[in-house]
Amino acid sequence: MKKLIHYINTQVLVKIMSLKTAAVLTRIIAGLLTSKAIAIFIGPNGMALVGNLRDFVTSAQTVATLGFYKGIVKQVNAFKDDLVRLSKTLSTVYYFGFFTTILVAFFCYFQADYINDLIFPTYNNYIYAIKVFAIALPFYALNMFSFSIMNGFSKYKILIIINIIGQILGLSITLLLIVQNKLDGALISVAISESLIFLITLVGIINRKSFIPLISVENVSFTYLKKLSSYTGMALFSTIILPLVILAIRSHVIDNIGYKEAGFWEAMLRISKYYLMLVSSLLGLYIIPRFSQIHDIKVFKKEVFGLYKTIVPIFALGLLIIYVLKSVIVRVVFTEEFAPVEDLFFWQLLGDFVKVLSMIISYQFLAKKMFWHYAITEAFLVVILYTTSIYFIKTCGVKGAVIGHFVSYLMYYGVILLIFGSSLFGVDSTNSK
């Protein structure tokens, strides 16, 4: 336990302060200000539609970039002193990434009618927003690939600066579009905001132009593509399927209850996203590297229960404070019109608490590259999340969406405990003798 606390105090918090905190806080503040603008100028109805487009955009962006981000960072970091391997990695990433991005962009542009019918009610026509997204998508992909390469070269300082400036630029344009064009402006901002960061990243590319000659079609390697493909599988559920499931649930609420109720649920999801962003930043920095180093079941068990004793109580206290201040939070982040969101807090916070409990253990899948365990449990989660949400929505209205959130993560946590039960609750061999 002392080792954990010492590590957090001397390394994790330092890394977060130097690498993550500024960027994460900037993102959260930008999200809060954007939410406030949407609440004032568009209302719950528009928030629901913005949420649907955002979830589609998130999934399409991950498909376009093949979910390569984490894989590129790791490969570049490993091969940055080996020009041959580095060239093969960069060439493979850029050429395959360019190909898939163009395919996705063309599909979105020429099938905008079809996509519009899927993500919006058929009596709303926002085809223009989808086409704008298709045009902006290649710039997003180029930005992500360049960003991941700089990350792999450990250019943390410039990454923080790019991230913060990009967030400020995106926020400024988003607020301007929302104030001037209301819902149309909000949808356009969702389509282009992530791509705008490329303008800032371009400076970083110029500073690292030495790696550009390493990119050539002759060095494209299917072997390196295979190495990166495992990261695509990891991204499949978290950033492709899960947003689409959320989109489907929100569309179900729109069709069966109404726009306002869907907007209230979207508002609750936004609040949840902000505080979970902080938690996941802390856990991600510590757990994955630490779990990767552990090869002894007893040490793994000690680490998990150590986190449960230190991090979880603090998180639980934070959730309790949020619940007590829910009325103030809703009115500060949104408007008086969003008061019904208060009824959604209890089940959402309870579900998020169980989510963090399961997250702490499930990071072992990523640390040990347990791909099939990860894929099966994530598939189970998205199926249960959809089915339970639809079931409870029928019986409890929009509150059923947050009840489904809690029930699905409770069941997911149960599966995680079954998988790691022997490691966490088995009798130590030293004690059994």
Side-chain angles (χ1 to χ4, degrees), residues 6 30 92 134 153 200 211 218 286 301 320 326 356 386 411:
H6 176 74
T92 302
F153 278 110
I200 313 301
F211 71 72
E218 293 83 6
Y286 174 75
K301 177 180 178 179
L320 181 60
K326 61 182 179 179
V356 170
Y386 180 79
M411 296 175 70

Side-chain angles (χ1 to χ4, degrees), residues 205-430:
I205 295 175
I206 292 172
N207 290 333
R208 294 296 303 177
K209 57 187 178 183
S210 59
F211 71 72
I212 295 177
L214 297 176
I215 302 173
S216 65
V217 67
E218 293 83 6
N219 286 328
V220 172
S221 170
F222 284 94
T223 301
Y224 281 75
L225 178 65
K226 187 177 179 180
K227 290 180 181 179
L228 291 164
S229 63
S230 62
Y231 294 92
T232 302
M234 293 291 190
L236 178 65
F237 294 100
S238 58
T239 52
I240 299 178
I241 295 180
L242 187 57
L244 294 180
V245 169
I246 299 297
L247 189 157
I249 296 171
R250 192 185 298 106
S251 296
H252 181 80
V253 174
I254 291 173
D255 292 338
N256 292 275
I257 305 177
Y259 277 109
K260 271 196 171 184
E261 288 75 11
F264 296 150
W265 182 51
E266 169 63 15
M268 184 70 254
L269 290 180
R270 282 173 175 256
I271 294 172
S272 171
K273 176 184 176 182
Y274 300 145
Y275 60 73
L276 284 177
M277 197 180 299
L278 287 173
V279 176
S280 60
S281 296
L282 173 62
L283 293 178
L285 276 175
Y286 174 75
I287 294 181
I288 294 181
R290 178 61 182 142
F291 281 6
S292 298
Q293 298 169 357
I294 294 174
H295 302 287
D296 186 275
I297 292 177
K298 289 169 61 179
V299 180
F300 170 68
K301 177 180 178 179
K302 184 179 179 181
E303 286 291 335
V304 170
F305 286 108
L307 288 165
Y308 276 2
K309 291 177 183 178
T310 54
I311 302 297
V312 172
I314 297 173
F315 180 60
L317 178 61
L319 292 180
L320 181 60
I321 294 172
I322 290 172
Y323 183 76
V324 172
L325 298 177
K326 61 182 179 179
S327 179
V328 176
I329 292 172
V330 168
R331 282 156 182 79
V332 170
V333 178
F334 306 106
T335 62
E336 186 70 34
E337 188 180 4
F338 285 79
V341 175
E342 294 177 36
D343 296 333
L344 307 180
F345 269 73
F346 178 78
W347 292 106
Q348 181 69 40
L349 298 182
L350 204 58
D352 287 340
F353 179 72
V354 178
K355 180 178 181 178
V356 170
L357 291 179
S358 62
M359 186 190 305
I360 289 173
I361 303 175
S362 63
Y363 270 124
Q364 179 76 336
F365 293 146
L366 302 177
K368 299 301 183 184
K369 298 181 180 179
M370 301 167 65
F371 172 74
W372 287 111
H373 288 83
Y374 177 86
I376 292 171
T377 53
E378 289 294 311
F380 171 80
L381 173 62
V382 295
V383 170
I384 293 299
L385 178 61
Y386 180 79
T387 53
T388 56
S389 297
I390 298 302
Y391 173 78
F392 286 112
I393 286 169
K394 289 180 181 178
T395 57
C396 306
V398 69
K399 187 183 289 186
V402 287
I403 295 175
H405 168 71
F406 166 68
V407 172
S408 60
Y409 273 100
L410 188 63
M411 296 175 70
Y412 173 76
Y413 186 39
V415 172
I416 295 297
L417 290 178
L418 284 175
I419 294 173
F420 293 101
S422 60
S423 299
L424 296 174
F425 307 110
V427 178
D428 293 341
S429 57
T430 54

Side-chain angles (χ1 to χ4, degrees), residues 48-68:
L49 292 173
V50 169
N52 269 13
L53 181 60
R54 188 198 65 231
D55 288 334
F56 167 75
V57 164
T58 299
S59 297
Q61 287 172 338
T62 306
V63 173
T65 56
L66 295 169
F68 276 175

Side-chain angles (χ1 to χ4, degrees), residues 164-227:
I164 293 174
I165 295 176
Q167 289 296 325
I168 294 172
L169 175 65
L171 173 64
S172 303
I173 293 176
T174 295
L175 294 179
L176 182 65
L177 287 170
I178 293 174
V179 171
Q180 290 190 342
N181 300 290
K182 306 299 188 291
L183 178 58
D184 291 332
L187 294 175
I188 292 296
S189 70
V190 171
I192 68 172
S193 59
E194 293 289 334
S195 301
L196 291 174
I197 302 177
F198 174 70
L199 298 175
I200 313 301
T201 308
L202 190 60
V203 177
I205 295 175
I206 292 172
N207 290 333
R208 294 296 303 177
K209 57 187 178 183
S210 59
F211 71 72
I212 295 177
L214 297 176
I215 302 173
S216 65
V217 67
E218 293 83 6
N219 286 328
V220 172
S221 170
F222 284 94
T223 301
Y224 281 75
L225 178 65
K226 187 177 179 180
K227 290 180 181 179

